[in-house]
Amino acid sequence: MAEQAFVTLATNDNYAKGAMVLARSLRNHHTTRKLVVLTGPQVADPCQSVLKKLYDEVRVVDLLDSGDTAHLAMMKRPDLGVTFTKLHCWTLTHYSKCVFMDADTLVVSNIDELFDREELSAAPDPGWPDCFNTGVFVFRPSLETYDKLLQYSAEHGSFDGGDQGVLNGFFSSWSMTDISKHLPFIYNLSSIAIYTYLPAFKQYGGNAKVIHFLGQTKPWSLTFDPEARKIRGGSQDAEASHSSFVLDWWTLYSREVLPLLQEHYGDQPFHSGCVEQEESQDSCAASAPPSLSSEERKERWEQGQADYMGEDSFENIQKKLDAFLK
């Protein structure tokens, strides 16, 4: 029987760090499958070297771009254009079945049972549940499917300018056909959704298997103090309900990924993301984001990009409601 693999995509050095943490989380939870990462040519050589230590296969691929500036502008996410590169995963035909995982996901339990599912199995998107979220999905590599996806993209484009729009268009029967292809939300628990569905998170969050750090704020865009085990970079020290997941990501990164990066970068400077023990705040630390106007915050909320780590955390919203009701 042909081998099976988990597949991810790293288009730049930051997402490469995410892919490194993802690989360690899969290994630490004893996956028996191969690990594959697709990388863009922009990923630096030291990062490529670390990925080769953590993955069974590292494949450099050409970046595909939707060129759909209009829809990407609507989402205020021009960076999503290169996510079309994800379509390359269907060319991995030396594997019989694969599970794709975005580089901003973290595995917190063994998920090898996903290989019992068929193409295209995925969890509903928290913003539009009739669509599946493409952060985690099961697929069968096929050059025929790859060619059809490229043809579909050329003819129909993507309704959101990224891979999620084109894949939902291509696999359009997902929402109304075989329910066995609907993965439970615990396989793609979107961090943004926690505040919208806090009671459900309290009920089911303990069973989470994959955490997906959706939105523009990624774990690697924050700063970690390993001595104090605190996250910096938000308006607060990550006192949000899901801060434990961010801490899990950073703890894994600082212990098992950062030493490899330091080894391969050597004397070359690079952004570690960690505050050194002897420094309270230095050039490696991310500066706090500029404060937003009320109108900008409203736009962020409407786009599903609330500052869930800081000002828009459930705790802060609850405090404001309590003060208003008093």
Side-chain angles (χ1 to χ4, degrees):
M1 185 181 75
E3 291 181 307
Q4 300 175 334
F6 285 102
V7 182
T8 192
L9 170 66
T11 53
N12 57 43
D13 289 356
N14 282 330
Y15 277 86
K17 291 176 184 176
M20 295 168 195
V21 173
L22 173 60
R24 290 308 309 155
S25 69
L26 283 162
R27 300 279 192 205
N28 290 349
H29 290 289
H30 312 295
T31 182
T32 60
R33 270 52 175 201
K34 297 288 187 180
L35 302 188
V36 179
V37 58
L38 307 177
T39 71
Q42 291 89 344
V43 175
D45 289 342
C47 287
Q48 293 275 10
S49 298
V50 174
L51 289 171
K52 287 174 182 176
K53 282 195 169 185
L54 299 176
Y55 281 82
D56 298 294
E57 181 178 353
V58 178
R59 178 178 290 200
V60 180
V61 296
D62 293 329
L63 296 185
L64 300 176
D65 195 318
S66 70
D68 192 347
T69 54
H71 284 111
L72 292 172
M74 282 173 56
M75 298 174 66
K76 291 184 169 54
R77 293 295 301 277
D79 55 307
L80 290 181
V82 295
T83 58
F84 257 53
T85 309
K86 191 180 293 189
L87 302 183
H88 279 298
C89 66
W90 267 271
T91 67
L92 300 170
T93 53
H94 47 299
Y95 298 104
S96 62
K97 189 186 293 185
C98 296
V99 174
F100 185 91
M101 303 187 71
D102 276 346
D104 58 352
T105 57
L106 176 73
V107 171
V108 295
S109 179
N110 184 282
I111 55 172
D112 284 0
E113 68 271 14
L114 286 179
F115 290 91
D116 296 332
R117 303 278 184 149
E118 287 303 322
E119 181 178 82
L120 188 293
S121 292
D125 187 80
W128 196 267
D130 283 344
C131 293
F132 56 86
N133 182 275
T134 55
V136 179
F137 62 85
V138 183
F139 71 99
R140 286 189 178 275
S142 161
L143 292 179
E144 181 183 358
T145 303
Y146 176 69
D147 289 339
K148 288 180 178 179
L149 279 165
L150 292 183
Q151 183 179 354
Y152 180 90
S153 302
E155 293 177 358
H156 303 282
S158 166
F159 64 73
D160 69 350
D163 66 275
Q164 185 152 304
V166 74
L167 289 177
N168 271 278
F170 187 81
F171 295 99
S172 59
S173 64
W174 175 85
S175 65
M176 62 191 77
T177 52
D178 190 353
I179 193 65
S180 69
K181 293 183 179 180
H182 289 219
L183 296 182
F185 200 53
I186 58 171
Y187 287 102
N188 191 350
L189 182 63
S190 306
S191 56
I192 282 178
I194 288 174
Y195 291 103
T196 313
Y197 305 105
L198 191 62
F201 174 71
K202 289 179 177 178
Q203 177 74 14
Y204 302 110
N207 299 321
K209 288 176 173 281
V210 179
I211 307 303
H212 189 184
F213 299 102
L214 276 175
Q216 287 182 305
T217 302
K218 306 298 183 187
W220 56 79
S221 62
L222 302 168
T223 302
F224 181 57
D225 183 342
E227 189 73 9
R229 294 197 79 244
K230 287 284 188 180
I231 303 295
R232 301 182 182 182
S235 57
Q236 293 185 348
D237 282 340
E239 296 296 332
S241 297
H242 77 299
S243 62
S244 62
F245 297 137
V246 182
L247 283 173
D248 288 344
W249 190 97
W250 271 103
T251 300
L252 188 53
Y253 169 81
S254 61
R255 290 179 180 173
E256 301 186 35
V257 171
L258 185 55
L260 295 175
L261 286 168
Q262 290 169 332
E263 174 189 341
H264 285 277
Y265 270 97
D267 295 331
Q268 301 177 59
F270 76 100
H271 182 83
S272 72
C274 290
V275 178
E276 300 298 332
Q277 292 182 15
E278 68 272 15
E279 299 168 321
S280 60
Q281 193 85 9
D282 65 4
S283 58
C284 288
S287 58
S291 58
L292 300 173
S293 68
S294 59
E295 189 62 31
E296 287 172 326
R297 284 188 66 210
K298 180 183 175 184
E299 287 183 10
R300 289 280 182 94
W301 269 86
E302 290 172 346
Q303 295 156 12
Q305 296 172 8
D307 179 18
Y308 56 91
M309 290 290 295
E311 195 171 359
D312 299 321
S313 70
F314 178 80
E315 183 177 293
N316 282 344
I317 292 171
Q318 193 168 42
K319 285 179 182 177
K320 290 178 180 178
L321 284 172
D322 289 343
F324 176 77
L325 292 173
K326 286 178 182 178

